[in-house]
Amino acid sequence: LRKPEMLPPREIGVAIEAVIGGSFGATRDEVVQSVSRIFGFKATSAVLRDLIGGVLDALIANGKVTPKGEMLIFADENNVTSP
């Protein structure tokens, strides 16, 4: 199993997009847990949670993902990807 800090941010971003696109939105906790599982981690450590959260925050800051209530969705409906 790889160390969380070895995961490339771009791959984490793709996994986040797959989780959000595959379920038409997700809460922050759902995104973090699902992305963790995608990469084969059975438990989500604080380091992994912070790493995924940082990439998620970057996607929000650059306008690709937006909060809608408790859910995170694509800011532009055309960005929806299928799993």
Side-chain angles (χ1 to χ4, degrees):
L1 203 54
R2 297 185 287 186
K3 293 181 179 181
E5 51 274 0
M6 300 297 292
L7 294 172
R10 179 65 191 132
E11 286 186 27
I12 295 170
V14 170
I16 290 170
E17 291 173 15
V19 169
I20 293 172
S23 59
F24 303 105
T27 66
R28 185 178 189 89
D29 286 341
E30 290 169 340
V31 169
V32 171
Q33 185 176 38
S34 294
V35 170
S36 175
R37 300 305 176 269
I38 286 170
F39 287 109
F41 292 95
K42 292 181 182 178
T44 307
S45 68
V47 170
L48 184 56
R49 181 173 294 282
D50 290 346
L51 185 62
I52 296 168
V55 174
L56 183 55
D57 290 340
L59 290 172
I60 292 169
N62 75 22
K64 190 155 192 173
V65 172
T66 189
K68 184 176 183 181
E70 291 291 316
M71 300 295 286
L72 296 168
I73 60 170
F74 286 113
D76 177 356
E77 296 276 326
N78 295 325
N79 286 334
V80 175
T81 58
S82 54

